Amino acid sequence: MLLETFLPVLWPLLSAIVVLLAKSAGFKWQRAISFLAVFVLVVINANSLMVAFDLPPQVYALGNWVAPFGIVMVLDQLSATMVLLTSLLALAAMWFAVRQQVDQQGSHFHVLFQIQLFGLNGAFMTGDVFNLFVFFEVLLLASYGLLLHGGGRLKTRAGLHYVALNLVGSTLFLFAVGALYGILGTLNLADMAVKVANLSADDQGVVAAAGLMLLLVFGIKAAMFPLYLWLPQAYANTSAPVAALFAIMTKVGIYAIIRIHGTLFGDQAGDLSAIHIPWVLWLGIITLVLAALGALASRNLREQVAYVVLASISTLLIGVGIHSQEAMAATLFYLIHSTLIAGAMFLIADLIRQGRGEAEDNFIKAHAMPNAVLMGGIFMVAAIAMAGLPPLSGFMGKLLVLSAALDHADFFWILAAVLVSSLLLIIALARAGSLLFYNVLPKEQCHTVDGKPVCEAPKSLNIKGVSSIIGLLSVAIILVIWANHFHQLTRSIATQVFDQNLYQQQVLQVETIANPHKELVQ
Amino acid sequence: MEWLISIAIGIMTAAGVILTLRARTFPVVLGLTLLAYAVNVFLFTMGRLNSGIPAVINDVQTQYTDPLPQALVLTAIVIAFGMTAFLIVLALKARSELGNDHVDGIHLAKDEESLKETVPPRQASQSAGGKF
């Protein structure tokens, strides 16, 4: 029983309570405590990651109830990587929010932020399907609050769609969990995998249906075709740090597919083995094509970034759908890259929107923005990384995914989808960059925005917090320089993901703490 | 008893789906509530239907019903209530900010006409600020 197995979940909850209590002490205190808490969380999660790479999966039994009867938290290499990734992204988003004063636009930003981290870390570390549902609800409720933070018509409309859709998703989740419990009689993931292996032929249909219903639920979270339409609206209309943090939210869906479906329908499952794989692969390919077209058709930068992020998610789905250890390693490599760069992309889009005054980030001719060289420079780096051009890590990730797909039967379609969509994304981002930075109006000329003439560009641009963008973008360079090292790490994670026996053994053989007062109780 | 409960769940789910697909926020809230009820009853029945058998172990009883679904339902009910309350507040906020209770906000020509007659103060001040 190690501290590392529950501290990543417990710490944000405690910080949220402290931040809430600090309200009476003033906003500055709330802000300082919250930022410090995220920083400490990064350290805690980095430590957990090291533990996860040293030891086999570690299990924490809540309330000393052993699996499969109690709820367990599982720290393995995959969950440790995901929590560390979350906290790194959160640190950058928080720094940007503090420097740009976004957190002052409404109340309780920091409390919601910490609760969001609590929900995310919990969802990554839980070993129980119903507990996954509970953590999903925690992170969703916090995300509703963050999405609507600051208010405004468009935010409210996007938020209403987002909330209603996710409530339908939650209902489907419960239906699937109920059906699985009705047949398997357990909700512990490792125990469910054991039960699926010994399933009678009559019950296989129900378990398959429930499993695919779960895929639908995770598809909503991961924005998989045809369930992606909420994403561009929601991400384009919320504030930049929140959108950046939401880059990890879609990855929760991917993670859940890897974890739940990978374990439930693993090699041991007989006829049910890998039944979700063709769905994930083909829906991923369709999503990728539609995301690339959506990026071309976008009318403003933030919407385009949302579609570019959607493209990266669908590349991940394709990687999962190829279904091999090599592909899983490539997918995880691309996941680390795309999460952090997508976060940077949303922050850049917000700064560009501020710099263009009334024209905002719409793709129309406007006056040159202040700090155009700096903004254009980081936009170019981010666009190269996001579209997957060499020499940055997006190229590396896509190359790894494609090389892992070489032996796959549908290699042609995977190759065609990834390469054509990459080309379309490059065209879309190049068009955006040239429109925003090169195609500028002369100083004396006016342009019209919503029927009103605008003759002046903003004099200055508040670039405070740009360091968090640069920090996130530097990951694209670090991932390339130590690509071999990182690929070895993701390979190790992939090996552990596919090693079902080890996971089941660790979870089901966890020992409880001996009670020293046992005699007294009896 | 089984067929009665299954029919009840089916009707509630169907009604919930139909209401959720409506374009106004109030039917959507009602639909999601019905769906939540349906799923709660569904979860409850997944422990198999028994009547008159306790879920808590004691010395007298020899037969027990499965207590786990009851614990699950309890959690699910609490979460569903919380979420529904949030959705109602959000729907009210959307009604006041978007001008009507359509889930997409203002989009009918008639709504826009009626809005012109009763312009909210915030929009009026904005348009005035643009002119001067």
Side-chain angles (χ1 to χ4, degrees):
Chain A
M1 185 112 17
L2 291 164
L3 210 60
E4 283 82 4
T5 49
F6 62 87
L7 214 50
V9 182
L10 195 62
W11 179 258
L13 180 64
L14 290 177
S15 337
I17 295 168
V18 174
V19 172
L20 188 63
L21 292 178
K23 193 171 191 243
S24 54
F27 186 75
K28 279 191 175 156
W29 277 96
Q30 271 194 320
R31 183 185 263 181
I33 294 170
S34 183
F35 186 77
L36 193 70
V38 176
F39 188 78
V40 173
L41 186 67
V42 173
V43 178
I44 290 173
N45 289 345
N47 185 35
S48 289
L49 185 74
M50 280 194 278
V51 169
F53 273 96
D54 283 343
L55 300 170
Q58 293 296 308
V59 179
Y60 177 77
L62 267 80
N64 217 13
W65 291 86
V66 281
F69 306 108
I71 292 168
V72 290
M73 294 288 178
V74 186
L75 178 83
D76 67 347
Q77 294 177 6
L78 181 60
S79 56
T81 311
M82 294 305 289
V83 290
L84 182 61
L85 198 60
T86 308
S87 53
L88 285 175
L89 188 66
L91 188 69
M94 173 74 93
W95 179 244
F96 190 85
V98 168
R99 297 290 286 169
Q100 291 274 331
Q101 316 272 333
V102 179
D103 51 350
Q104 276 182 328
Q105 286 169 5
S107 52
H108 296 306
F109 177 87
H110 290 290
V111 182
L112 289 168
F113 199 93
Q114 298 291 344
I115 295 282
Q116 174 85 76
L117 292 179
F118 166 61
L120 282 167
N121 286 357
F124 287 136
M125 290 189 67
T126 182
D128 181 282
V129 179
F130 191 80
N131 204 30
L132 181 71
F133 165 77
V134 175
F135 276 119
F136 261 34
E137 294 304 308
V138 171
L139 75 88
L140 283 175
L141 195 51
S143 79
Y144 302 154
L146 285 175
L147 184 78
L148 294 164
H149 189 263
R153 273 188 68 229
L154 292 174
K155 267 186 199 169
T156 307
R157 198 178 69 177
L160 190 68
H161 295 181
Y162 179 72
V163 173
L165 191 71
N166 275 307
L167 283 180
V168 174
S170 305
T171 313
L172 286 173
F173 199 157
L174 279 179
F175 270 121
V177 165
L180 283 174
Y181 181 77
I183 300 295
L184 301 173
T186 179
L187 286 172
N188 180 281
L189 193 50
D191 197 35
M192 280 168 105
V194 175
K195 296 270 164 56
V196 169
N198 308 319
L199 202 61
S200 74
D202 291 347
D203 292 337
Q204 281 187 346
V206 182
V207 172
L212 291 179
M213 204 192 275
L214 275 183
L215 187 66
L216 190 69
V217 177
F218 301 148
I220 293 177
K221 303 281 180 285
M224 185 167 74
F225 172 83
L227 306 160
Y228 69 90
L229 291 163
W230 60 271
L231 184 138
Q233 279 298 314
Y235 281 37
N237 289 318
T238 186
S239 60
V242 175
L245 184 66
F246 280 13
I248 194 82
M249 293 260 290
T250 43
K251 272 66 176 185
V252 176
I254 310 269
Y255 170 83
I257 292 172
I258 295 173
R259 169 104 310 153
I260 307 288
H261 290 87
T263 312
L264 212 53
F265 303 128
D267 295 335
Q268 88 293 344
D271 289 347
L272 293 181
S273 180
I275 53 161
H276 63 293
I277 289 300
W279 291 98
V280 175
L281 178 65
W282 287 100
L283 292 178
I285 289 177
I286 298 172
T287 317
L288 185 55
V289 174
L290 289 174
L293 294 177
L296 274 181
S298 312
R299 283 160 303 176
N300 63 55
L301 183 61
R302 284 179 299 171
E303 197 183 330
Q304 184 173 66
V305 171
Y307 274 111
V308 173
V309 169
L310 187 61
S312 74
I313 296 160
S314 36
T315 311
L316 294 173
L317 285 172
I318 291 173
V320 175
I322 295 167
H323 195 56
S324 68
Q325 269 192 35
E326 202 52 34
M328 184 60 74
T331 307
L332 293 171
F333 186 90
Y334 192 70
L335 190 147
I336 297 170
H337 149 85
S338 72
T339 307
L340 295 175
I341 304 303
M345 208 69 180
F346 280 114
L347 300 182
I348 296 166
D350 186 58
L351 282 185
I352 290 175
R353 180 186 66 82
Q354 289 178 24
R356 282 163 56 92
E358 299 269 339
E360 296 214 317
D361 55 345
N362 293 314
F363 291 146
I364 51 173
K365 244 184 171 184
H367 296 100
M369 72 177 80
N371 298 94
V373 176
L374 174 72
M375 295 310 303
I378 56 178
F379 178 80
M380 192 180 78
V381 174
I384 288 174
M386 210 64 211
L389 282 178
L392 295 179
S393 60
F395 171 73
M396 207 60 134
K398 280 189 179 171
L399 188 70
L400 286 172
V401 171
L402 285 182
S403 69
L406 279 174
D407 300 330
H408 198 274
D410 297 312
F411 173 64
F412 171 77
W413 293 106
I414 297 169
L415 188 84
V418 172
L419 291 183
V420 171
S421 70
S422 297
L423 178 66
L424 293 181
L425 287 183
I426 292 165
I427 294 170
L429 286 166
R431 169 172 159 265
S434 49
L435 256 169
L436 293 171
F437 293 102
Y438 289 159
N439 199 3
V440 291
L441 280 174
K443 266 185 189 160
E444 60 275 10
Q445 206 174 330
C446 298
H447 67 106
T448 50
V449 177
D450 299 334
K452 284 179 284 180
V454 175
C455 303
E456 272 186 64
K459 293 276 187 300
S460 66
L461 173 63
N462 175 15
I463 56 161
K464 280 178 183 167
V466 78
S467 52
S468 67
I469 299 177
I470 294 170
L472 284 173
L473 286 182
S474 65
V475 172
I477 300 163
I478 293 170
L479 273 176
V480 165
I481 296 176
W482 286 285
N484 189 28
H485 190 70
F486 278 104
H487 192 216
Q488 266 169 9
L489 287 184
T490 57
R491 254 191 215 143
S492 155
I493 301 169
T495 315
Q496 205 181 61
V497 167
F498 275 84
D499 190 356
Q500 301 294 333
N501 288 331
L502 181 70
Y503 182 82
Q504 287 167 18
Q505 203 181 334
Q506 288 289 325
V507 172
L508 294 177
Q509 289 181 355
V510 63
E511 286 172 12
T512 50
I513 306 169
N515 187 352
H517 305 297
K518 206 172 180 180
E519 293 79 17
L520 291 177
V521 174
Q522 280 171 348
Chain B
M1 193 161 66
E2 278 82 0
W3 63 268
L4 200 63
I5 292 227
S6 4
I7 289 173
I9 294 173
I11 290 175
M12 269 200 286
T13 313
V17 169
I18 291 168
L19 282 173
T20 309
L21 292 174
R22 299 295 296 265
R24 303 270 162 187
T25 47
F26 184 63
V28 170
V29 172
L30 275 187
L32 286 168
T33 312
L34 271 181
L35 275 177
Y37 285 152
V39 79
N40 287 341
V41 180
F42 177 78
L43 265 185
F44 192 71
T45 53
M46 277 301 117
R48 303 297 182 269
L49 290 170
N50 296 310
S51 52
I53 304 176
V56 182
I57 296 175
N58 58 27
D59 296 337
V60 189
Q61 288 287 336
T62 50
Q63 273 193 314
Y64 302 102
T65 183
D66 191 349
L68 199 93
Q70 307 189 5
L72 299 185
V73 164
L74 196 61
T75 318
I77 289 173
V78 173
I79 290 176
F81 274 170
M83 290 294 175
T84 309
F86 181 82
L87 187 64
I88 290 172
V89 175
L90 187 61
L92 287 173
K93 185 177 154 73
R95 167 67 186 82
S96 69
E97 283 193 1
L98 302 177
N100 63 12
D101 68 341
H102 194 275
V103 287
D104 280 333
I106 305 158
H107 86 147
L108 296 170
K110 205 173 76 183
D111 288 335
E112 286 180 5
E113 282 302 315
S114 67
L115 199 78
K116 269 179 197 161
E117 290 158 19
T118 55
V119 184
R122 198 169 60 87
Q123 285 199 344
S125 67
Q126 268 183 358
S127 60
K131 268 174 206 162
F132 299 111

